[in-house]
Amino acid sequence: MTALSWLIPAALALGLIGLLGFLWALRSGQFDDLEGAAYRILDDDLPPKDANDDRDPKKQG
Amino acid sequence: MALAVDFEPGSTPEGKVPDNQRASAGERSSARIILAIENMNCGGCMRKIERVLDETAGIDTVRANLSAKRVTVEFNPRQTDTEGVIAILSDAGFRAADLAHNDLDDHARADRDLLLRLAVAGFAAMNIMLLSVSVWAGLASDMDHELRVMFHWLSALIALPTVAYSGQPFFRSALTALKAWRLNMDVPISLALLLAAGMSLTQTIRGTEHVYFDASVSLIFFLLIGRYLDQSLRSRAKGAAQNLLGLKSGWATVRNEDGSSERLPARAILPGMRILVATGERIPADGRIVSGTTDIDEQLITGETLPRTATKDAAVYAGTLSLTAPIEIEATAADDDTLLSEIARLMETAEQNKGRYVRLADKAAALYAPLVHALGLITFLAWMFLGAGWETALITAISVLIITCPCALALAVPAVQVAATSRLFKHGVLMTSADGLERLSEIDTIVLDKTGTLTRGEPQLTNSGEISNETLAAAARLAAASRHPYARALVNEAKIRNLPIQPAQNVSETPGSGLLLDNADGTQERLGSATWCGVPRPTEQSTEARASLWYRSGKHKPVAFHFVDKLRSDAAATIAKANAAGLEVILLSGDRCSAVADAAEAAGITKWYGEQRPDQKIAHLEQLKAEGRRVLMVGDGLNDAPALATAHASLSPSSAAEVSQIASDGIIQGPHLAPVIETLAVARKTRRMSLQNFAIAAAYNAICIPLAMAGFVTPLIATIAMSASSILVTSNALRLTNTPLELS
């Protein structure tokens, strides 16, 4: 019985964390483009905007 | 594609190309636009678009969305503008157009709202199930009373807010229906939800076993899944349709009073603005010609392939093409005496007469709700009569209502609709109306428009066998200077024969007549109408009467070119399939009777009517309706729009006028007519599978209702039965995604 008094709140809290995590993902647009996201992981990050100089070899191609 | 090859956004002359975004952005340092990209199909395209824009000066952030085929761009309005961004994309090989923000956000917001409610319901269902499983296990073993009551209270704590929040879409829809004195599927759903939650709460307070929180929350969860899939698919189809429209509406060169000119998106045009329309440009707004004479291709408006010559004060319509000379028009608000206002008026009446279509699920609900409620009442009375006391009688009656709760029934149609819509989406058919598929399943007659629907909407040379290569090459030299559909067809024919085309210099074009070339040696070459080439007006019987274009070099004998608007490549096969399936096909066209007769014969259509005005088309459809026919209208022109709205169901090709696309239930993409048949086949299959699912739901009820009435139903049985029936109807619906279908 004493175990239940913290196990149940813990289970609920874990579930709630999951829900909040999903809400955060939804709000930040993680579900807006499901197809594109699959390709993005294959892509290198774009160089930071301020550092765009012409020496970057990727831009020559 | 080749415009602005040397475009450098950084060097855009300030003020020369002002942009509406700039005005709306005011003093802010960045403007945000959403562009539809026609040919962004893969991860590579997405990357290329983001790279090319990211490397451009003045663009702050770029985010491409591959699923929606859209790019959101934020830029510094002082350094570039919407048109500049579009030009950069155009250089990179992508066709882009900007979209109005407001309605886009609406779809996304509705989707998100539903997903949020779904997530909450899912969280609650899982946690309550955790507690319920313990209770069920405890019933068999040693769980003591206090602990069980505590678990019930915990479930109540999770379930009640969830029902209040996640159940709202159902409550709202049920209220709307009840206010109109109608029954829809959401009425029994809402009733079951409220009863289950309410009874469980009283039972929890009293500390007894009949607690159905798990059942009510998992019901919401399952139903929201169906509803969310349905909604997100439809908003995806609508988004794709909006992209199509956005890509079609263009830019306008507006002349200010001080003589300067600026480029504005077509939707920013206000009545009274003076607009310059270059040769070959689409007229961006309805208006009157202020100066200039040109040939106007009005195919989208009237269905007529041949251009009309328009001069000062003539009315011109948005979406038509100015072919032969630049003109200046003044944009007008809708006039009462124009074709457009007549079409708007007809549309309005058509929509009013359409009445409310009663959906299959709502028909089922109208049968089902009274039946179930009567069964509940009978259970209550029977138990009272048998002397069980009002409390036991009430609990049993309510468990009847809960066990019959329309979980499978409410999923029966949406699950199939989702499978059908996504299948059609893959085949290039965008279903934009909610009940379109159901209406399509009842079709027994197809009415087709000719130009642009049955045909490709572009003329092709028919008597090419009679024309020598030399003549064709010579005529093509002149034709290359013109955008008239016949001239283009001629150049195309020359290209097909691999003839070298050297566009002649000094070609002058007279709108409505033809082309004239003054050679250096003083001879003249003419390409154009019979009169233009000095051909005597032929008699009606001769084949020359149907010659569409003449070519005359100097004093030589004039040569006639015959053109016909060729059918879509699979038109005849599609019509044959429709006929074989027992559908009657009728051709209704605004074009000349002779042209319609030819097209009908070639396509194998026996019933045709030519020279039909929009109101006559409607009259035809009304007559068919009076005969008890269910008509599918397929059309593209603005003149078809009222008919599309009148028909029982309607489809339009993606090349159709904006009004027509909005008026129809679905949009067919691609050069073929076959998707019409595929759509009908899928619609019929959808109906059959919906009925199948109803049968499954009814079988489930036939087993469960006697059990519930006899008082054997426990919360465990209720939950298992409901989830099992939901999963059964959903997996039945998924069969529709891949099975090949034939229209029978």
Side-chain angles (χ1 to χ4, degrees):
Chain A
M1 195 61 194
T2 44
L4 279 183
S5 62
W6 64 270
L7 268 178
I8 291 176
L12 285 178
L14 284 176
L16 208 59
I17 289 172
L19 180 66
L20 292 178
F22 179 76
L23 292 191
W24 168 80
L26 187 65
R27 289 260 156 80
S28 62
Q30 304 281 324
F31 296 93
D32 287 356
D33 181 16
L34 297 176
E35 282 172 45
Y39 291 101
R40 278 182 202 281
I41 56 165
L42 302 174
D43 191 14
D44 294 331
D45 281 343
L46 290 171
K49 189 85 184 174
D50 295 337
N52 64 353
D53 52 357
D54 293 331
R55 281 168 298 169
D56 189 341
K58 272 180 225 146
K59 287 184 186 167
Q60 307 298 323
Chain B
M1 235 19 106
L3 67 132
V5 176
D6 295 316
F7 190 89
E8 284 175 55
S11 67
T12 308
E14 186 60 24
K16 189 186 166 194
V17 195
D19 172 51
N20 71 320
Q21 298 297 340
R22 185 172 312 174
S24 64
E27 294 303 307
R28 277 185 293 137
S29 61
S30 91
R32 180 168 160 266
I33 50 169
I34 299 175
L35 302 174
I37 314 274
E38 190 182 32
N39 44 357
M40 176 166 70
N41 297 320
C42 61
C45 308
M46 183 177 80
R47 188 158 46 231
K48 195 169 165 196
I49 287 170
E50 289 193 342
R51 287 261 155 103
V52 76
L53 288 180
D54 200 63
E55 283 164 12
T56 305
I59 292 183
D60 301 330
T61 60
V62 192
R63 184 77 187 180
N65 185 328
L66 187 61
S67 329
K69 294 199 178 183
R70 286 177 182 160
V71 182
T72 308
V73 184
E74 277 175 30
F75 57 82
N76 183 344
R78 274 188 294 275
Q79 280 179 286
T80 185
D81 57 31
T82 309
E83 211 183 357
V85 176
I86 291 174
I88 295 166
L89 288 171
S90 166
D91 287 349
F94 297 101
R95 225 166 84 72
D98 78 323
L99 301 165
H101 290 211
N102 12 4
D103 15 330
L104 308 180
D105 292 343
D106 275 358
H107 283 309
R109 210 173 298 133
D111 281 3
R112 268 188 191 193
D113 179 67
L114 216 50
L115 193 57
L116 205 61
R117 293 180 199 277
L118 175 65
V120 171
F123 161 78
M126 300 312 156
N127 280 289
I128 293 175
M129 207 50 89
L130 192 79
L131 297 167
S132 292
V133 170
S134 325
V135 172
W136 296 329
L139 286 178
S141 58
D142 59 346
M143 187 181 240
D144 54 27
H145 181 73
E146 285 73 32
L147 192 59
R148 196 174 68 219
V149 171
M150 193 188 89
F151 272 38
H152 283 162
W153 274 111
L154 276 173
S155 305
L157 212 63
I158 306 170
L160 294 176
T162 308
V163 172
Y165 174 68
S166 294
Q168 273 173 27
F170 306 103
F171 301 149
R172 238 180 268 135
S173 153
L175 258 180
T176 324
L178 286 178
K179 270 186 196 156
W181 294 104
R182 286 183 301 112
L183 273 180
N184 66 7
M185 215 28 152
D186 291 327
V187 176
I189 292 174
S190 303
L191 204 64
L193 285 178
L194 292 176
L195 274 178
M199 185 179 91
S200 305
L201 187 63
T202 47
Q203 295 295 317
T204 306
I205 292 171
R206 296 166 42 84
T208 49
E209 275 175 34
H210 282 270
V211 174
Y212 294 100
F213 288 124
D214 42 16
S216 61
V217 174
S218 48
L219 170 68
I220 296 186
F221 182 52
F222 279 119
L223 292 181
L224 278 178
I225 292 177
R227 211 154 283 204
Y228 171 71
L229 287 177
D230 194 31
Q231 156 121 9
S232 66
L233 257 175
R234 222 182 13 258
S235 53
R236 202 175 157 189
K238 277 191 183 143
Q242 272 174 338
N243 283 0
L244 286 177
L245 290 179
L247 285 160
K248 266 167 63 177
S249 75
W251 292 74
T253 311
V254 173
R255 186 145 85 175
N256 295 330
E257 273 167 25
D258 59 5
S260 67
S261 64
E262 59 177 319
R263 297 278 285 169
L264 285 182
R267 60 165 192 273
I269 292 173
L270 300 172
M273 283 184 173
R274 293 286 184 93
I275 303 161
L276 298 170
V277 182
T279 312
E281 203 177 40
R282 235 169 239 292
I283 295 175
D286 301 330
R288 276 172 207 294
I289 298 183
V290 182
S291 69
T293 301
T294 185
D295 287 323
I296 293 183
D297 178 354
E298 291 195 319
Q299 207 191 89
L300 268 187
I301 310 289
T302 58
E304 167 71 62
T305 2
L306 283 186
R308 167 180 76 108
T309 310
T311 181
K312 190 171 171 359
D313 286 337
V316 290
Y317 304 110
T320 55
L321 272 170
S322 168
L323 293 172
T324 41
I327 50 169
E328 184 174 343
I329 65 166
E330 187 184 296
T332 51
D335 255 335
D336 279 346
D337 56 344
T338 59
L339 175 73
L340 219 58
S341 64
E342 190 201 339
I343 285 171
R345 197 167 40 71
L346 287 172
M347 289 278 290
E348 219 167 274
T349 9
E351 305 262 330
Q352 277 167 7
N353 292 346
K354 199 163 192 176
R356 281 199 69 91
Y357 177 79
V358 185
R359 301 189 61 173
L360 198 57
D362 295 341
K363 276 185 203 162
L367 272 177
Y368 165 90
L371 186 73
V372 167
H373 298 161
L375 281 175
L377 189 66
I378 291 169
T379 313
F380 178 71
L381 292 177
W383 279 75
M384 282 293 276
F385 182 72
L386 293 171
W390 72 271
E391 211 187 304
T392 322
L394 193 64
I395 287 175
T396 322
I398 290 180
S399 29
V400 170
L401 291 185
I402 292 171
I403 196 82
T404 55
C405 102
C407 195
L409 215 53
L411 270 176
V413 176
V416 185
Q417 293 257 351
V418 167
T421 315
S422 66
R423 179 192 172 121
L424 287 174
F425 194 91
K426 275 184 218 146
H427 285 78
V429 181
L430 310 174
M431 291 303 303
T432 45
S433 86
D435 51 3
L437 270 176
E438 289 185 26
R439 283 186 274 112
L440 276 163
S441 69
E442 300 165 348
I443 294 306
D444 53 21
T445 308
I446 303 177
V447 173
L448 290 167
D449 171 48
K450 185 181 77 77
T451 318
T453 304
L454 189 64
T455 66
R456 292 183 202 161
E458 50 194 50
Q460 281 172 306
L461 192 62
T462 49
N463 62 336
S464 69
E466 301 166 14
I467 293 158
S468 68
N469 278 350
E470 294 76 53
T471 319
L472 185 64
R477 279 172 62 228
L478 272 76
S482 171
R483 289 170 190 269
H484 193 284
Y486 285 171
R488 283 196 176 170
L490 218 147
V491 174
N492 269 344
E493 177 68 20
K495 276 186 192 153
I496 291 168
R497 292 197 199 174
N498 280 326
L499 300 177
I501 303 164
Q502 295 137 344
Q505 305 297 312
N506 307 324
V507 178
S508 61
E509 181 160 20
T510 308
S513 300
L515 300 153
L516 175 66
L517 168 64
D518 286 306
N519 283 323
D521 59 4
T523 58
Q524 284 191 332
E525 289 179 49
R526 283 165 183 267
L527 182 73
S529 66
T531 356
W532 179 250
C533 296
V535 182
R537 239 192 135 65
T539 52
E540 275 298 312
Q541 281 77 26
S542 67
T543 51
E544 248 101 83
R546 284 162 66 187
S548 327
L549 190 67
W550 293 84
Y551 170 71
R552 184 171 206 170
S553 171
K555 298 279 174 222
H556 292 283
K557 191 175 179 300
V559 186
F561 294 89
H562 301 269
F563 292 95
V564 75
D565 185 10
K566 278 260 176 72
L567 301 182
R568 287 181 190 251
S569 59
D570 63 343
T574 306
I575 306 277
K577 262 191 203 162
N579 283 331
L583 295 164
E584 183 170 19
V585 182
I586 301 170
L587 189 61
L588 276 187
S589 174
D591 208 349
R592 287 158 297 132
C593 280
S594 60
V596 181
D598 290 347
E601 197 188 352
I605 300 175
T606 44
K607 229 174 165 181
W608 57 267
Y609 304 89
E611 292 169 23
Q612 297 285 310
R613 289 196 316 272
D615 54 326
Q616 288 172 311
K617 286 192 175 186
I618 289 190
H620 262 286
L621 291 180
E622 293 290 355
Q623 195 199 330
L624 287 168
K625 201 189 267 179
E627 290 169 16
R629 308 274 199 90
R630 306 285 180 114
V631 180
L632 165 67
M633 172 83 200
V634 189
D636 71 320
L638 191 60
N639 61 335
D640 296 317
L644 289 167
T646 309
H648 191 60
S650 49
L651 294 169
S652 61
S654 55
S655 57
E658 177 169 349
V659 181
S660 306
Q661 289 195 12
I662 292 169
S664 25
D665 296 315
I667 296 161
I668 305 168
Q669 290 175 288
H672 298 295
L673 206 55
V676 174
I677 300 291
E678 162 81 6
T679 309
L680 286 177
V682 170
R684 287 185 178 185
K685 183 77 180 166
T686 305
R687 187 183 178 80
R688 272 203 303 280
M689 294 197 55
S690 303
L691 293 175
Q692 259 175 30
N693 274 354
F694 279 139
I696 293 176
Y700 149 81
N701 275 335
I703 298 168
C704 289
I705 291 178
L707 282 178
M709 289 176 84
F712 290 132
V713 166
T714 63
L716 176 62
I717 294 180
T719 310
I720 291 177
M722 268 197 271
S723 307
S725 65
S726 306
I727 291 167
L728 203 62
V729 291
T730 310
S731 29
N732 186 41
L734 288 177
R735 292 192 300 131
L736 188 63
T737 338
N738 291 318
T739 17
L741 289 179
E742 280 292 321
L743 190 65
S744 56

